[in-house]
Amino acid sequence: MKAYAADKGLSQDPLAQTIKINVSYINAMLRGEFTIGKTEIKDSYFEKVAKAIGYTFKRSYWELKETPEYIQLTTEMLDAKVSGRGKTLIGETGCGKTFSFDDFMMNYPAHSYGITVSSLHKLRDIIDELCELVGVAATGSNVSKLKRIANRLNVLKMGGAKLIFIIDEAENLTIPALKMLKALYDAFRGICPIVLIGTPQLEEKLDKLKEDNVEGIPQFCRRVKAGIRRIKSEEKKKRFSPFFEQLDDEDLKTLLISLADNYGELNDYLEYALQEADRMGAPLTEDLFRKLFDL
């Protein structure tokens, strides 16, 4: 944790914000203490720190591979952070968007703010979460909160910070949230780039809303149009090959290519199979794989 903080230029408060643990716990850990007063710091806190800084103390069965999709996603996010230009990154399900987003947030935590939205997120939820991320009060109306956020980011920008706000799984954004983003784009213009990451469903949703002339959506589409980047993928055999380095059975590789349509599905099959083979002390073969998945 000390090495991570030094490498990323984080003092204790932003380090605690990045890891999402109370700063008093962080301070105690950094002093090598395992209690706060009479309260023991549970193992789960150390595990949370380890995950946040990319430290592993258990065998990893699914390691980072710099796939073409990962490289393109990371490059686009980094370009947005450095240049200040917003982006909309569109990639198929399972191409590594969320993995790349999480990795980017771990490697570039300073003044990088990210939210993963679900279909349950309402407009107020997104704004309140952004208030928490930038460290401003989440009180008053949504308009007053947005002004507070923009003012805070502007102060950071004037101080030389390279800012970025990323929304992952943006296809889940509701119509009110999309309208809010138009206001957010205008408030953040020249201050903080906004990056949306989503599936082609996001483009389809925007096209449909624009066609229906839903209030505010044509204007929002105009703001994001020039920043749309579509993540390209190669054929499966070439894409999957980096993940087969632990495998010797060529028939198993062929089987996995036929079963999995993307990295996400490949992970679902391969990580579990490697864990089970390791537990049994046996090599992972096509025969064992078929038994594990009842194929």
Side-chain angles (χ1 to χ4, degrees), residues 64-76 95-97 100 230-243 263:
L64 169 66
K65 303 292 183 184
E66 293 191 350
T67 64
E69 296 91 338
Y70 166 85
I71 292 171
Q72 188 180 354
L73 285 159
T74 302
T75 300
E76 294 290 358
C95 77
K97 297 186 300 299
S100 300
R230 295 173 184 85
I231 308 306
K232 300 172 184 176
S233 296
E234 299 172 314
E235 53 94 16
K236 282 198 294 181
K237 185 175 181 179
K238 190 171 184 179
R239 278 189 291 145
F240 288 179
S241 61
F243 298 95
Y263 297 128

Side-chain angles (χ1 to χ4, degrees), residues 13 19 43 51 113-114 136 138 146 154 165 263 265 284:
D13 282 340
I19 297 174
D43 288 352
K51 183 177 180 181
Y113 310 103
V136 299
L146 287 177
N154 192 42
F165 174 42
Y263 297 128
E265 291 180 6
L284 181 57

Side-chain angles (χ1 to χ4, degrees), residues 76-90:
E76 294 290 358
M77 286 185 280
L78 188 56
D79 177 68
K81 186 174 177 69
V82 173
S83 70
R85 290 191 295 268
K87 310 259 186 176
T88 300
L89 309 180
I90 303 295

Side-chain angles (χ1 to χ4, degrees), residues 7 24 44 49-51 87 100 106 131-133 137 141 143 158 174-175 204 211-212 230 236-237 259 275-277:
D7 181 56
S24 61
S44 58
V49 169
K51 183 177 180 181
K87 310 259 186 176
S100 300
M106 181 184 72
C131 284
E132 183 180 351
L133 288 173
S141 67
V143 172
M158 295 298 289
T174 61
I175 294 176
E204 293 166 7
E211 184 180 332
D212 293 343
R230 295 173 184 85
K236 282 198 294 181
K237 185 175 181 179
L259 289 172
Q275 286 176 334
E276 288 300 292

